[in-house]
Amino acid sequence: MASRASPEDFTSHSVEIALTNSQGTKRALECARDHDARVFIASTSEVYGNANEHPQSETYNGNVNIRGPRAPYDESKRFSEALAVAYERKYEMDIRTARIFNTYGPRMDPNDGRVVPNFLTQALRGEDLTVYGDGSQTRSFCYVSDLVAGIRTIADAPAEVAAGDVFNIGNTEEISIRELTDVILNVVDTDSGVTYKSLPQDDPEVRRPDISKITSQLDWKPSISLRTGLKRTIPYFEQRLTDD
Ligand code: UDP
């Protein structure tokens, strides 16, 4: 959870991110081993890379470019999972892993660089929304309270149903980035238009979680629609922009 997770940071904080997810995970695992504690690993949909299986289920091994700009994050998260599996098997620890898909909500940094804070900030300022590429790429956005409930579900589940296992957490409402501009321009009262910028290298073309495992095994599913979640997020960004 300590790692930065915005693709903008994958370049500017590449080494810090790679070490947080590798050395940081090792320290957490060692600490848990010393104290006989349960461990929750915060992994990511990025382990699937530019997926050629859609939607992505936990059994998919991914398609990550090990030398690309996203590699410091993607590969260190993959390593954190591999290290957790090694600890779990060697030391018989109780470790559970979540692969977290795109999440948004209040308290994101307006300068975070990810698409929801960017679009909301731009819309509230009356600036054009910046679509990278042609906007045909898709994502599936999960509201933060749904994510937190999913994390608690995995972390608190009895060992028989969760120890040693990995679960996707996310919302299955898939939307293209171009469609996301329509939703944002509809929920924010603004004169903003849309501008197109170049697509970053290795930007995944499609992303949607298969959540059938966590739904059937642990009885969790998201309940907040994108439109509802955005409406709950807007007042926070309005306040931040007024304060700044
Ligand atoms: N994106 C965009 N405009 C922005 C920021 C992001 O079009 O101002 C796109 C980005 O290229 C990607 C998608 O929105 O296809 C989601 O990007 P984000 O950085 O939020 O997270 P990612 O899912 O790529 O990790």
Side-chain angles (χ1 to χ4, degrees):
M1 285 284 185
S3 175
R4 287 170 180 256
S6 170
E8 277 197 359
D9 298 330
F10 298 171
T11 309
S12 63
H13 291 75
S14 53
V15 173
E16 293 85 348
I17 285 171
L19 293 177
T20 300
N21 289 320
S22 52
Q23 287 186 346
T25 302
K26 183 209 171 215
R27 288 193 186 127
L29 289 166
E30 283 294 333
C31 180
R33 194 177 153 218
D34 284 348
H35 296 277
D36 202 18
R38 177 182 283 182
V39 180
F40 172 87
I41 299 282
S43 186
T44 168
S45 56
E46 283 290 311
V47 301
Y48 301 125
N50 190 11
N52 37 37
E53 177 181 301
H54 192 66
Q56 295 79 50
S57 69
E58 292 86 351
T59 51
Y60 177 52
N61 286 327
N63 177 32
V64 171
N65 174 3
I66 57 175
R67 301 183 68 85
R70 300 171 88 98
Y73 185 75
D74 298 8
E75 292 293 358
S76 62
K77 283 292 189 190
R78 290 174 65 91
F79 174 77
S80 73
E81 283 202 39
L83 190 67
V85 170
Y87 267 72
E88 172 207 309
R89 291 185 184 152
K90 186 157 183 179
Y91 304 120
E92 297 183 351
M93 294 168 65
D94 176 344
I95 304 176
R96 301 93 193 274
T97 301
R99 293 186 180 147
I100 299 168
F101 283 64
N102 294 68
T103 304
Y104 69 98
R107 303 202 199 165
M108 285 182 99
D109 181 351
N111 300 312
D112 173 282
R114 277 175 283 184
V115 70
V116 171
N118 274 11
F119 282 4
L120 284 181
T121 306
Q122 290 160 343
L124 289 167
R125 288 189 175 136
E127 297 166 359
D128 281 359
L129 276 50
T130 51
V131 171
Y132 302 162
D134 63 5
S136 61
Q137 69 271 34
T138 67
R139 295 293 186 273
S140 309
F141 296 97
C142 185
Y143 187 67
V144 60
S145 62
D146 278 334
L147 174 76
V148 171
I151 289 173
R152 282 250 67 106
T153 299
I154 295 171
D156 296 341
E160 312 83 78
V161 288
D165 224 337
V166 56
F167 302 90
N168 288 335
I169 307 183
N171 193 306
T172 53
E173 194 183 336
E174 183 178 3
I175 184 173
S176 74
I177 298 304
R178 213 170 30 225
E179 288 166 330
L180 179 64
T181 63
D182 294 336
V183 177
I184 300 253
L185 294 178
N186 191 267
V187 291
V188 180
D189 181 23
T190 179
D191 298 330
S192 295
V194 174
T195 349
Y196 290 85
K197 294 194 164 185
S198 59
L199 187 69
Q201 190 195 331
D202 294 338
D203 198 283
E205 289 157 55
V206 288
R207 188 182 285 154
R208 171 159 55 100
D210 177 339
I211 57 166
S212 49
K213 185 172 175 183
I214 186 169
T215 301
S216 62
Q217 212 166 310
L218 303 181
D219 196 24
W220 173 88
K221 61 175 179 0
S223 62
I224 312 280
S225 71
L226 179 59
R227 189 171 274 274
T228 302
L230 287 171
K231 284 187 180 156
R232 290 187 190 179
T233 307
I234 290 164
Y236 173 80
F237 279 90
E238 276 173 336
Q239 187 61 47
R240 280 292 300 264
L241 297 185
T242 316
D243 293 347
D244 294 351

